[in-house]
Amino acid sequence: MITRAALAAKVAGNLDTGPLAVPGAFAIGFFYDLVNALYFIFPLMLIGWLTPRKLARRNGFRWFVTSLIFIQTFLILLNAVSEWIFWDEFGSRFNFIAVDYLVYTQEVLGNIRQSYPVEVIVLVLLLLAALLTWEQRRILARQDVPGAGFGQRSLWMTGYLAVLLAAFMWVGNQFRQFSDNNYANELAGNGMYELFAAYRNNELDYNQFYRTLDNRQAFRDIRALISTPESHFTDNNPFSIQRDIVNPAPELHKNVVLISVESLSADFLGSFGNEQGITPYLDSLARKSLLFTNLYATGTRTVRGLEALSIGTPPTPGQSIVRRPHNEDLFSLGHVFKEKGYESSFIYGGYGYFDNMGYFFGHNDYRVVDRTVLSKKEIDYENIWGVADENLFSLAAREIEKGTSAGKPVFAHIMTTSNHRPYTYPEGRIDIPSHTSREGAVKYTDFAIGRFIRDASRKPWFKNTLFVIVADHCASSAGKTDLPVNRYKIPLLIYAPGFIKPGIMPRLMSQIDLGPTILGLLHFSYRSKFFGYDIFRLEPGRERAFISTYQSLGFIHHDSLVILKPQKFAATYIPDFTTGAAREVVPDRRMTDEATAWYQCASFQFRKGLMGK
């Protein structure tokens, strides 16, 4: 309850949905606190049930129980501090992201150690836990209650287990969704319980939890929705989206350097109205590039962005396909380039095992190059997430040089890491000291990209290269609404002097459209299983975008937003694309069916193994 009060004070200015928001959050939150307590006291209940009365009276046993209470008290305190830090980063209680992070303890704990004074925090928590445990022990010592016999203890244990089982079977985290204000709903949760619930639901079966259509109807709709003038379906299989993309112009086998930048929100760039001057190079490059001003990321995690950019599919609920089993040999952008004679590679400044990135790309027609190939002398700076971006780009330049020298065109997907907490980078590169702020990390990455492209301009392969700069996702997705659309807008620049004319592309576009659009610019004809569009070939009015969390699936079309959630929930909103606020309106059945078809068919395709090349 103290944690809830602290978090409520933190977001007080955003709890603006009426007088019931805060009382409702605390009342529902207290219910979840009790449910969490049922799980949390299980070790004590088990010991109390199985321990004979004679043993329970001994001092050694009492010290054992006191030690257990100390550990549990410390965990509660540690959880409170962890929730504060997690909320600061993601604007929510623990969720699916926290479950993912528990898998990669080295990177996550390293990140925390580099961002916060962990030793001091832990020492304070240990002292506070000791004081609280001592007070609890004094209270318990005053309870002069004769120990119950095993039979009586068994009755108590049976009742407890019955209540615990009922909570496990029938209590889910959906009951906290009582308000239109997302912060109020998050406050109504319990961090430990939310972590447990997220672990239970880390893979969501679309058909079980979401609104559905008949599969044949859904695929009839999706085949109509993805059909474009330059494409032709290869067969009459009602569940296939395979089609031949035909471009009559001669193919251009230019090098493609795709840079996906960690957490680069559109509103960091001066080109989108930022006045801090933290992207001077990208702003200057935007004037020489084709700048896309209405592009939306599919999710809130790097793996979501990589999924969209590599296999061109709408996000499926639960884990990204990058991290799921059976994600090998999928139809991918790397596959198309490989078929065209390219050397395709994924170049990453961290360790490829993180988030399963190395395995995913390595099994889907990319050659994986990560920090393990760099020697110590090639690294100016590194933190827990990876080497400094300037070292990553030096590695990328070397790999591109190697491929072009062998006479092959190159497709290089480069994933940066420096724009990530703890926001550290080599000193002296920019005018913002390292470990100061995200703004500093953004400006450093901007510096590193600038140096890379300026160095590349002196290379023989530069004139035959398409540079594509895009974000993997925004810096933050938290907001008053479930899916604040302004927190998903990302920049996209395509730069190729003498080939791509500078200009502005204002059409609505999804991250999954980038692959087909690049292939269209190169006039490639190929067999496709992408869900994305070539935005330059798409008839006006058919644009759409997808945004999501691990549970909420959003579909943007024209000025409307459909959100699909578990428990077969579907609602239509008119979003404010500047503030992220959203007003619920009468559902548009046709648009809701379209949203359902996109998401249902993407889930069906992966589950049935139809995304293979």
Side-chain angles (χ1 to χ4, degrees):
M1 294 295 283
I2 294 170
T3 303
R4 185 171 293 109
L7 293 174
K10 187 180 182 70
V11 297
N14 292 311
L15 292 171
D16 55 0
T17 59
L20 295 180
V22 174
F26 275 78
I28 296 170
F30 181 63
F31 167 74
Y32 278 109
D33 294 343
L34 293 176
V35 172
N36 184 65
L38 283 172
Y39 293 104
F40 199 71
I41 65 172
F42 180 78
L44 290 169
M45 292 295 290
L46 191 64
I47 291 167
W49 175 44
L50 295 176
T51 304
R53 279 184 291 184
K54 287 183 179 180
L55 179 59
R57 292 192 180 103
R58 294 182 180 176
N59 285 333
F61 176 77
R62 289 177 179 176
W63 279 109
F64 168 72
V65 173
T66 300
S67 300
L68 180 58
I69 292 173
F70 169 77
I71 291 169
Q72 291 193 289
T73 303
F74 174 75
L75 289 176
I76 292 172
L77 295 170
L78 182 64
N79 175 77
V81 173
S82 301
E83 280 202 79
W84 180 272
I85 293 170
F86 190 84
W87 187 290
D88 202 43
E89 183 78 12
F90 298 103
S92 72
R93 295 281 193 172
F94 290 144
N95 55 28
F96 188 71
I97 297 172
V99 175
D100 271 3
Y101 279 3
L102 287 175
V103 177
Y104 299 100
T105 51
Q106 179 180 335
E107 283 79 4
V108 175
L109 291 179
N111 178 37
I112 293 170
R113 286 178 63 87
Q114 293 173 0
S115 303
Y116 302 96
V118 174
E119 291 78 6
V120 175
I121 292 171
V122 170
L123 180 60
V124 170
L125 295 183
L126 286 171
L127 290 173
L128 187 55
L131 289 172
L132 290 170
T133 302
W134 182 255
E135 184 61 27
Q136 291 176 84
R137 192 172 186 272
R138 287 179 61 245
I139 294 169
L140 290 171
R142 292 198 297 264
Q143 311 305 313
D144 188 19
V145 180
F150 182 74
Q152 189 177 355
R153 297 200 306 271
S154 296
L155 286 175
W156 280 104
M157 192 66 179
T158 301
Y160 162 73
L161 290 175
V163 176
L164 183 66
L165 181 62
F168 181 81
M169 296 293 293
W170 294 309
V171 176
N173 62 352
Q174 74 273 17
F175 300 121
R176 67 178 177 84
Q177 303 290 339
F178 76 102
S179 171
D180 291 333
N181 186 289
N182 193 54
Y183 287 122
N185 293 334
E186 292 294 337
L187 288 174
N190 174 290
M192 283 189 174
Y193 181 80
E194 291 300 317
L195 189 66
F196 171 71
Y199 178 78
R200 288 180 65 190
N201 299 314
N202 64 358
E203 287 193 28
L204 296 174
D205 183 285
Y206 183 90
N207 285 6
Q208 179 181 350
F209 291 102
Y210 291 83
R211 180 184 187 272
T212 58
L213 304 169
D214 174 78
N215 277 327
R216 288 185 176 273
Q217 178 191 338
F219 272 91
R220 278 197 300 271
D221 291 351
I222 207 67
R223 282 168 69 93
L225 287 166
I226 64 172
S227 179
T228 51
E230 80 281 10
S231 68
H232 310 282
F233 287 102
T234 60
D235 55 47
N236 294 319
N237 181 347
F239 302 117
S240 171
I241 64 166
Q242 182 172 280
R243 56 213 187 277
D244 285 331
I245 308 296
V246 179
N247 279 294
E251 291 188 354
L252 304 170
H253 286 206
K254 292 181 175 291
N255 305 308
V256 175
V257 177
L258 169 59
I259 305 171
S260 52
V261 182
E262 172 69 41
S263 305
L264 187 67
S265 305
D267 56 16
F268 286 146
L269 274 70
S271 309
F272 289 83
N274 187 291
E275 298 179 352
Q276 296 173 291
I278 54 176
T279 56
Y281 180 76
L282 289 177
D283 290 330
S284 67
L285 190 69
R287 294 188 286 271
K288 309 170 191 173
S289 306
L290 183 59
L291 175 67
F292 294 71
T293 59
N294 208 8
L295 173 69
Y296 288 84
T298 59
T300 61
R301 295 288 314 284
T302 295
V303 284
R304 277 291 182 212
L306 296 178
E307 171 190 89
L309 295 171
S310 61
I311 61 174
T313 182
T316 52
Q319 296 212 50
S320 164
I321 288 172
V322 173
R323 297 203 54 223
R324 289 192 185 182
H326 314 301
N327 63 2
E328 305 88 356
D329 299 318
L330 304 179
F331 180 83
S332 69
L333 189 58
H335 171 71
V336 176
F337 278 114
K338 189 175 181 180
E339 289 284 292
K340 298 293 182 180
Y342 279 66
E343 175 72 32
S344 297
S345 57
F346 174 70
I347 306 172
Y348 179 53
Y351 292 112
Y353 70 80
F354 182 73
D355 262 345
N356 205 47
M357 288 185 282
Y359 183 89
F360 173 79
F361 282 100
H363 287 78
N364 286 290
D365 292 305
Y366 292 78
R367 184 173 60 90
V368 176
V369 183
D370 68 7
R371 70 189 288 179
T372 58
V373 306
L374 290 170
S375 64
K376 285 290 183 183
K377 65 180 181 180
E378 293 175 302
I379 300 174
D380 291 286
Y381 187 87
E382 60 184 321
N383 61 27
I384 197 65
W385 296 113
V387 301
D389 283 348
E390 61 190 82
N391 300 137
L392 166 67
F393 286 122
S394 295
L395 171 62
R398 188 175 75 195
E399 294 298 316
I400 294 167
E401 191 85 32
K402 191 188 302 181
T404 55
S405 297
K408 276 191 169 187
V410 168
F411 167 52
H413 183 161
I414 306 167
M415 180 69 224
T416 73
T417 61
S418 290
N419 182 23
H420 197 298
R421 194 181 294 275
Y423 313 133
T424 54
Y425 41 85
E427 296 287 2
R429 305 302 197 264
I430 59 171
D431 56 2
I432 302 175
S434 174
H435 207 175
T436 302
S437 63
R438 182 181 285 278
E439 286 73 21
V442 170
K443 193 165 187 177
Y444 170 70
T445 294
D446 177 84
F447 156 82
I449 293 171
R451 192 162 84 167
F452 169 62
I453 294 181
R454 282 192 291 268
D455 288 348
S457 67
R458 295 188 284 271
K459 303 291 185 180
W461 49 266
F462 175 79
K463 292 182 179 180
N464 194 43
T465 300
L466 201 69
F467 292 90
V468 181
I469 302 171
V470 68
D472 59 347
H473 56 84
C474 282
S476 172
S477 61
K480 298 179 186 178
T481 56
D482 193 23
L483 292 174
V485 293
N486 62 320
R487 300 299 182 94
Y488 288 83
K489 181 176 273 192
I490 56 175
L492 168 62
L493 292 76
I494 300 182
Y495 172 64
F499 174 53
I500 298 294
K501 291 182 180 179
I504 301 291
M505 167 55 79
R507 295 177 70 182
L508 177 66
M509 187 174 170
S510 171
Q511 207 173 19
I512 74 170
D513 299 325
L514 183 53
T517 298
I518 292 171
L519 298 174
L521 288 171
L522 299 175
H523 306 157
F524 280 5
S525 294
Y526 60 100
R527 182 156 289 184
S528 177
K529 289 189 177 182
F530 291 135
F531 281 84
Y533 295 132
D534 175 353
I535 197 68
F536 294 106
R537 296 278 187 114
L538 186 68
E539 307 96 316
R542 292 183 59 191
E543 305 90 342
R544 48 80 199 105
F546 307 95
I547 60 177
S548 72
T549 63
Y550 70 100
Q551 282 192 336
S552 298
L553 307 174
F555 175 72
I556 303 171
H557 188 49
H558 297 307
D559 62 347
S560 298
L561 168 68
V562 171
I563 297 181
L564 308 176
K565 293 197 289 188
Q567 283 77 51
K568 311 289 184 180
F569 173 93
T572 304
Y573 302 86
I574 301 298
D576 185 317
F577 288 88
T578 302
T579 67
R583 174 172 54 88
E584 188 170 359
V585 295
V586 177
D588 181 326
R589 178 61 183 270
R590 181 177 177 182
M591 187 171 163
T592 304
D593 283 351
E594 281 192 22
T596 302
W598 283 104
Y599 283 115
Q600 181 177 334
C601 292
S603 294
F604 181 96
Q605 286 262 309
F606 181 72
R607 191 174 70 252
K608 298 293 185 181
L610 299 176
M611 288 187 178
K613 57 194 177 187

